[in-house]
């Protein structure tokens, strides 16, 4: 279990045992202040060599009119300390508030989210006694780009962005992690049978980079059946690397099936910057009741101590925590009459850990962090740029008449630099030519104009095309350029095309 830590960056690797490290701390919202108090009390009692700088982020900041939930002073503190211990925060529902968690991860370049999910059988009730899975979630991209638009009365879109360098970083991180911590296998989950280009590149890069790690097993699962297998037989998994959204969902599932979502901590790692947090949210339903399990944040703090070079203290806290769990001192979320000895609140749980500092578990394996933290030098590969050739454009229109033949009759005769109407789709499904009357259509249409045979056209030609469509009193709501990359189409076909 000594690999339940994340990886120190270079500047921390040489930190001397006696060095006091400055960290930024945010108490957060909901159960945040309670679990942070519990965690800080344990850190202080354990002799962690820390100087803390407190910042205010989250609900209060949002409601003061700052839609990002974090002010300039807080950013300055983070830039100064470069280590952030963060309690969960509440993102107010509705208009304009961006998730601060996502913003912090992206602005600070924290590309790897490392989430160990471990069973503590027989001391914490779980259907999965043999479970020790590390989920490595891509942290900056995917649907979390947060680029959403309402384009027509009926249709809203969210852009899914997957980049080659972003994917290379996370996939390589997963393999380096597996190699450094003696893990036997890395599994990749994607949905590339449907999203052939976005999830497709993630899978492809996984296969490419995996070849550089011959000693490590590799496999790929389509995320739906992979998730089902994870929930049923987690013991067959080891390290799992995933795009952002799948990683978010499945790390909650994985933590919950170990016994409680309250048990898992996580590390968000970037180049020379790291943020540590529980994987759960601010749990407003139990806030202020002294009921929350502080374990997720405590284990995140353990990851942080390893990262900053205080492996001795990390080990002390983690072993005391394991002993507490083993002694049956449990918060309500994991309390089970058959195995638990005492049901405690958040602060009493922290007290129980403090009392056990210096003790080791007797049945669960004790952790040892004395090999220290590992740092990886992760850089995306240099790839020669492709030859890009513009050959057409998908012109998206808002059109209220729900008949593709009517729309086609308004566009069919247009020819700009050889670009002509090839197909019309509605929500991705081809409805012209030769559509089915059964296909339901909204007011949001994609009209593909392409030069056949496929040959280069200019950007000006696409602008002229839009102008022609506009002159016919049709409402263009967006365009996507169609490229050939190294001679191959760099766009998907319509469903049914
Ligand atoms: P949640 O994780 O806060 O709660 C889900 C369920 O798990 C609730 O029943 C809750 O009581 C329980 N739970 C969570 N943590 C627990 C703990 N430590 N001990 C015992 N029980 C625990 O998820 P949610 O209700 O969907 O979200 C609430 C708020 O948290 C939202 O505003 C959301 O945006 C925010 N959130 C923040 C973060 C973060 O700060 N990293 C992450 C996820 C959600």
């Amino acid at each position: 279990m000594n690999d339940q830590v994340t990886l120190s960056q270079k500047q921390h690797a040489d930190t001397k045992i006696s060095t006091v490290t400055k960290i930024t701390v945010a108490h957060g919202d909901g159960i945040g202040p309670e679990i942070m108090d519990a965690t800080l009390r344990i850190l202080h009692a354990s002799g962690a060599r820390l100087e803390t700088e407190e910042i205010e982020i989250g609900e209060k900041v949002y409601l003061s009119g700052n839609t990002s939930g974090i002010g300039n002073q807080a950013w300055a503190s983070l830039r100064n300390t470069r280590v952030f211990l963060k309690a969960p925060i509440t993102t107010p529902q509705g208009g304009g508030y961006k998730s601060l968690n996502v913003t912090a991860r992206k602005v600070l370049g924290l590309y790897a989210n490392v989430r160990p999910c471990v069973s503590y059988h027989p001391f914490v009730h779980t259907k999965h006694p043999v479970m020790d899975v590390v989920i490595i979630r891509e942290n900056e991209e995917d649907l979390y780009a947060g680029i959403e638009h309402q384009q027509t009365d009926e249709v809203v879109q969210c852009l899914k962005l997957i980049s080659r360098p972003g994917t290379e970083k996370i996939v390589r991180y997963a393999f380096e992690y597996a190699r450094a911590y003696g893990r036997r296998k890395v599994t990749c989950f994607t949905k590339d049978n449907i999203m052939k280009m976005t999830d497709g590149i993630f899978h492809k890069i996984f296969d490419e980079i995996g070849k550089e790690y011959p000693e490590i097993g590799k496999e790929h699962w389509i995320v739906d059946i992979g998730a089902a297998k994870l929930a049923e037989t987690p013991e067959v998994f080891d390290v799992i690397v995933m795009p952002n959204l799948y990683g978010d969902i499945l790390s909650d599932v994985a933590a919950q099936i170990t016994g409680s979502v309250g048990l898992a901590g996580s590390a968000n790692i970037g180049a020379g910057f790291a943020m540590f947090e529980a994987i759960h949210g601010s749990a407003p339903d139990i806030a202020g009741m002294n009921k929350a399990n502080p374990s997720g944040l405590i284990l995140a703090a353990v990851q942080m101590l390893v990262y900053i070079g205080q492996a001795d203290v990390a080990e002390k806290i983690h072993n005391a925590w394991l002993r507490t769990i083993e002694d049956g001192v449990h918060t309500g979320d994991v309390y089970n009459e058959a195995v638990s000895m005492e049901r405690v609140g958040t602060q009493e749980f922290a007290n129980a850990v403090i009392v056990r500092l210096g003790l080791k578990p007797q049945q669960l394996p004790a952790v040892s962090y004395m090999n220290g933290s590992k740092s990886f030098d992760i850089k995306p590969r240099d790839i020669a740029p492709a030859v890009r050739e513009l050959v057409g454009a998908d012109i998206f229109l808002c059109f209220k008449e729900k008949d593709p033949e009517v729309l086609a009759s308004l566009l069919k005769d247009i020819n700009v630099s050889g670009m002509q109407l090839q197909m019309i789709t509605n929500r991705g499904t081809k409805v012209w030519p030769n559509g089915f009357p059964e296909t339901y259509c909204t007011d949001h249409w994609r009209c593909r104009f392409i030069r056949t045979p496929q040959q280069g056209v200019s950007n000006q030609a696409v602008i002229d095309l839009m102008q022609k469509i506009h002159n016919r009193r049709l409402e263009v709501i967006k365009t996507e350029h169609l490229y050939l990359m190294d001679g191959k189409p760099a766009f998907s076909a319509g469903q049914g095309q």
Side-chain angles (χ1 to χ4, degrees):
M1 263 192 310
N2 63 344
D3 52 357
Q4 285 182 55
V5 290
T6 188
L7 308 154
S8 151
Q9 301 299 317
K10 275 205 161 63
Q11 82 242 45
H12 294 296
D14 301 325
T15 306
K16 296 276 183 304
I17 291 293
S18 59
T19 306
V20 170
T21 304
K22 219 181 208 192
I23 64 166
T24 300
V25 166
H27 287 257
D29 302 315
I31 59 170
E34 301 159 59
I35 61 172
M36 183 57 86
D37 283 348
T39 303
L40 289 177
R41 286 200 298 113
I42 295 170
L43 284 169
H44 291 143
S46 68
R49 299 170 290 278
L50 300 172
E51 187 186 327
T52 54
E53 248 179 48
E54 309 228 335
I55 59 169
E56 178 86 70
I57 56 169
E59 207 168 18
K60 261 197 215 144
V61 181
Y62 283 119
L63 297 178
S64 74
N66 181 333
T67 52
S68 67
I70 177 166
N72 289 340
Q73 268 187 333
W75 282 124
S77 168
L78 290 172
R79 286 228 181 75
N80 176 31
T81 66
R82 304 179 84 78
V83 181
F84 188 17
L85 182 63
K86 181 185 145 297
I89 58 149
T90 302
T91 310
Q93 294 287 313
Y97 299 111
K98 295 299 272 188
S99 162
L100 165 60
N101 301 309
V102 178
T103 304
R105 290 170 191 153
K106 291 172 64 168
V107 170
L108 304 175
L110 309 177
Y111 64 90
N113 194 329
V114 182
R115 300 183 157 193
C117 300
V118 180
S119 290
Y120 303 99
H121 175 78
F123 304 102
V124 174
H125 179 72
T126 167
K127 291 181 193 135
H128 302 293
V130 187
M131 178 170 173
D132 183 0
V133 176
V134 179
I135 292 184
I136 299 195
R137 164 188 173 192
E138 195 289 317
N139 222 13
E140 297 175 291
E141 308 195 334
D142 194 3
L143 290 155
Y144 287 73
I147 305 176
E148 295 188 292
H149 299 94
Q150 174 139 17
Q151 295 184 319
T152 65
D153 286 330
E154 294 180 348
V155 174
V156 186
Q157 78 162 17
C158 176
L159 287 186
K160 175 167 168 124
L161 296 178
I162 303 273
S163 75
R164 174 172 270 280
T167 306
E168 285 199 4
K169 281 195 295 177
I170 195 67
V171 167
R172 192 170 290 285
Y173 189 95
F175 278 108
E176 287 291 324
Y177 183 97
R179 180 176 272 173
Y181 292 103
R183 295 272 177 167
R184 67 189 191 285
K185 182 170 76 171
V186 180
T187 305
C188 174
F189 284 1
T190 73
K191 188 78 183 170
D192 66 338
N193 55 331
I194 303 297
M195 284 159 280
K196 294 186 190 326
M197 297 188 69
T198 46
D199 282 21
I201 195 170
F202 200 95
H203 185 177
K204 182 166 176 277
I205 289 171
F206 175 78
D207 288 344
E208 283 169 14
I209 290 182
K211 289 195 182 112
E212 297 175 35
Y213 299 82
E215 78 281 15
I216 296 168
K218 323 141 186 97
E219 61 180 8
H220 171 268
W221 288 95
I222 298 293
V223 61
D224 39 4
I225 187 62
K229 269 181 86 76
L230 176 64
E232 180 63 19
T233 50
E235 64 278 9
V236 305
F237 293 100
D238 196 342
V239 173
I240 314 180
V241 63
M242 293 182 237
N244 205 337
L245 180 63
Y246 312 143
D248 187 8
I249 296 168
L250 290 179
S251 55
D252 267 30
V253 171
Q256 186 69 35
I257 63 177
T258 67
S260 167
V261 72
L263 287 171
S266 78
N268 299 266
I269 302 292
F273 217 121
M275 175 169 91
F276 301 86
E277 57 184 345
I279 73 159
H280 58 74
S282 57
D285 53 333
I286 53 168
M289 296 178 184
N290 192 38
K291 277 186 177 172
N293 187 343
S295 298
L297 192 58
I298 295 169
L299 294 180
V302 168
Q303 290 182 304
M304 177 190 76
L305 289 169
V306 178
Y307 175 85
I308 61 176
Q310 297 190 23
D312 55 331
V313 192
E315 196 172 301
K316 197 196 239 183
I317 295 177
H318 201 156
N319 282 326
W321 179 85
L322 285 166
R323 181 66 177 264
T324 309
I325 293 291
E326 201 180 81
D327 286 347
V329 182
H330 294 165
T331 45
D333 56 322
V334 292
Y335 184 86
N336 180 296
E337 272 184 8
V339 290
S340 305
M341 303 300 291
E342 198 184 343
R343 186 188 191 115
V344 292
T346 313
Q347 299 313 325
E348 294 71 33
F349 183 85
N351 295 343
V353 175
I354 290 169
V355 167
R356 287 165 178 79
L357 286 168
L359 299 183
K360 291 196 167 156
Q362 291 173 313
Q363 294 181 57
L364 291 168
V367 296
S368 167
Y369 292 126
M370 281 316 169
N371 287 337
S373 56
K374 308 270 197 276
S375 67
F376 314 137
D377 188 17
I378 307 263
K379 284 200 189 81
R381 294 169 296 179
D382 286 330
I383 301 280
V387 176
R388 291 195 314 153
E389 194 177 13
L390 183 63
V391 293
D394 279 346
I395 310 282
F396 289 76
L397 301 176
C398 175
F399 184 66
K400 296 287 180 190
E401 270 184 69
K402 303 275 176 93
D403 185 344
E405 291 297 335
V406 175
L407 182 56
S409 69
L410 297 168
L411 299 169
K412 264 192 302 208
D413 64 321
I414 293 178
N415 184 334
V416 177
S417 297
M419 287 184 290
Q420 287 183 282
L421 185 64
Q422 183 194 51
M423 70 164 178
I424 300 176
T425 69
N426 197 290
R427 292 180 300 165
T429 306
K430 191 190 75 169
V431 291
W432 183 92
N434 308 320
F436 281 32
E438 290 84 0
T439 307
Y440 184 80
C441 291
T442 66
D443 57 358
H444 183 276
W445 306 81
R446 172 179 59 165
C447 305
R448 175 160 290 177
F449 285 84
I450 198 158
R451 182 162 167 175
T452 315
Q454 288 171 4
Q455 276 176 351
V457 295
S458 64
N459 269 293
Q460 184 60 50
V462 173
I463 294 166
D464 294 345
L465 175 64
M466 285 168 65
Q467 182 68 53
K468 256 204 170 135
I469 293 170
H470 173 75
N471 291 348
R472 294 188 177 188
R473 301 188 185 287
L474 290 166
E475 189 188 351
V476 176
I477 51 172
K478 79 161 188 166
T479 61
E480 295 284 353
H481 285 192
L482 304 176
Y483 290 102
L484 300 183
M485 298 261 197
D486 289 335
K488 291 193 201 118
F491 43 89
S492 58
Q495 282 152 352
Q497 190 183 10

